[in-house]
Amino acid sequence: MKKKKIGFAIMACFASLLFFCGVPLGNLYYSMATVNAAYMGEVSTAKQEADRLQSESAAAEAKKAEEEAKKQAEEDIKTQEEEKKKRDAEIAAAAKKAADAANRKPANSYKPPTEEEKKEDTDNRPSGGDTIPVIPDDGSSNGSGVDTGTVGKPGWQTIDGKKYYFDSDGKALVGPARLDNTYMFFDSDGVLQNTSLGIDVSYHNGKLDWKEIKSIGVEFAMIRVGYRGYGAGTLVYDEQYKNNIKGALENGIKVGVYFFSQAISAEEGIEEASFVLDLIQGYNITLPVCIDTETSGGNGSGRADKISVADRTAAMKGFCETIAAAGKKPMIYASTSWFYSHLDMSQLPYMIWQAQWMSQPNYKLGFDIWQFTSDGSLTGDEKDKRRFDLNFIFN
């Protein structure tokens, strides 16, 4: 209480002194306010300057961090490119060595597959591919056509130099169709295309009458020579591959071969290719040597089913590089979706065998062979229960 009284007394004395000195109290308050305002203005300006400097400092730090991150990213990309070049060179060298004819083993040096190895056969034969219209011999097509905008009399018609086949409703056939005792292909406009018909077979198809197959119009065959077990990873040859190659060639059917892969690395891809080259020695293989990549017959539990895109791509590259080094034409077989989701096709500049069971193929990267059904009847006879994978090569 005493301190407050003393403070009031001092202020009163000071005010009295200023009054007697001729300084009005209003001016005093004004002067004090002015000083206070000036002080606050300086404080505000100082704060703004501090904020500006802090902002500029933060921006400079951010820019520096961005430049450092960019530099690091560029260095990482350069390192990855160098590692890729080194890896590609290693694969190429290993592939060349594996492809050397001096390293070939006689095909008969391999033992027949055991029953356990047969259980790991990765040829998971699909069923239920697109049903292909079968046109009766009397020429009626039972409404199998499609309204393409081009209408004609039932049967074969040539319009502006293009060949069409119209059903009983005057609609043009579109897609693959069994006609005149063979299979033909009509594009989305109904125009007949120049194609060669082929089948792909393995021991699952049993013993085949290749003379009969030739008479039905089959011009080429892709024959399985072997597979890698989806569990143990053992390389196994197809028990019918020799009979199939021999039978096809003796009946004037061009032959290519394929191997059902379960490779999980470039080294295993090279190993599979070397195995194939051993098996096809002495045969006139004029069509591609193909690696088949798809899910195993182990319900998704196969050794290669869940590997990365990079590892699967490396396996394909190892196989194809080895086949190419041996003077053969490498090829990759897969479904359309598999090409998109399980392989980096920018790293695989090889021929493509596409499995797409549709009326029209639509793989945007292009293809060399189109497997258009897994449920094809070569005879067209309903009593004939044999079914084949059927393919077209576009000439």
Side-chain angles (χ1 to χ4, degrees), residues 5-16:
K5 289 182 177 180
I6 293 171
F8 284 129
I10 293 172
M11 289 178 66
C13 291
F14 182 67
S16 298

Side-chain angles (χ1 to χ4, degrees), residues 117-349:
E117 289 170 344
K118 289 180 182 180
K119 291 178 182 178
E120 290 191 1
D121 187 346
T122 52
D123 193 348
N124 182 20
R125 274 192 60 77
S127 60
D130 280 0
T131 300
I132 307 301
V134 177
I135 311 306
D137 292 336
D138 62 7
S140 64
S141 49
N142 302 323
S144 299
V146 174
D147 187 1
T148 63
T150 302
V151 180
K153 296 179 181 179
W156 284 106
Q157 300 291 334
T158 300
I159 302 174
D160 295 331
K162 299 176 181 178
K163 294 191 72 174
Y164 302 80
Y165 191 93
F166 296 96
D167 68 9
S168 54
D169 295 326
K171 296 179 180 178
L173 287 182
V174 169
R178 190 171 191 283
L179 185 64
D180 295 347
N181 200 40
T182 189
Y183 283 86
M184 302 178 184
F185 176 70
F186 300 85
D187 69 13
S188 57
D189 293 322
V191 179
L192 176 67
Q193 301 298 299
N194 182 12
T195 57
S196 296
L197 175 65
I199 62 174
D200 58 272
V201 297
S202 70
Y203 91 94
H204 293 285
N205 296 99
K207 292 185 177 180
L208 300 173
D209 184 341
W210 286 96
K211 185 176 181 179
E212 177 194 22
I213 291 172
K214 175 66 175 180
S215 70
I216 297 168
V218 171
E219 297 180 61
F220 72 93
M222 297 297 291
I223 296 170
R224 191 181 75 158
V225 293
Y227 61 91
R228 184 190 286 275
Y230 65 77
T234 306
L235 299 179
V236 182
Y237 70 76
D238 186 297
E239 291 181 283
Q240 285 294 325
Y241 94 89
K242 291 181 180 179
N243 291 334
N244 284 334
I245 292 178
K246 183 180 178 182
L249 291 175
E250 288 179 348
N251 285 278
I253 296 173
K254 294 180 180 179
V255 171
V257 297
Y258 74 94
F259 181 89
F260 211 118
S261 176
Q262 278 284 287
I264 59 175
S265 66
E267 287 73 21
E268 287 196 352
I270 292 170
E271 182 185 28
E272 291 178 355
S274 183
F275 180 65
V276 171
L277 291 172
D278 289 346
L279 298 180
I280 63 174
Q281 292 178 93
Y283 293 109
N284 185 26
I285 308 299
T286 56
L287 295 183
V289 176
C290 182
I291 183 168
D292 179 347
T293 171
E294 53 187 293
T295 188
S296 73
N299 298 317
S301 63
R303 63 200 303 275
D305 287 344
K306 294 180 174 63
I307 62 174
S308 68
V309 169
D311 287 341
R312 182 173 286 105
T313 299
M316 300 301 105
K317 192 176 187 68
F319 182 96
C320 291
E321 288 287 306
T322 305
I323 297 303
K328 306 291 184 181
K329 293 176 283 190
M331 173 177 272
I332 301 172
Y333 168 95
S335 67
T336 308
S337 60
W338 195 271
F339 277 119
Y340 284 132
S341 61
H342 289 73
L343 295 168
D344 180 0
M345 294 307 294
S346 68
Q347 304 296 318
L348 300 170

Side-chain angles (χ1 to χ4, degrees), residues 18 23-39:
L18 291 173
V23 179
L25 286 177
N27 290 351
L28 172 63
Y29 293 146
Y30 175 78
S31 298
M32 291 176 68
T34 302
V35 170
N36 183 61
Y39 171 74

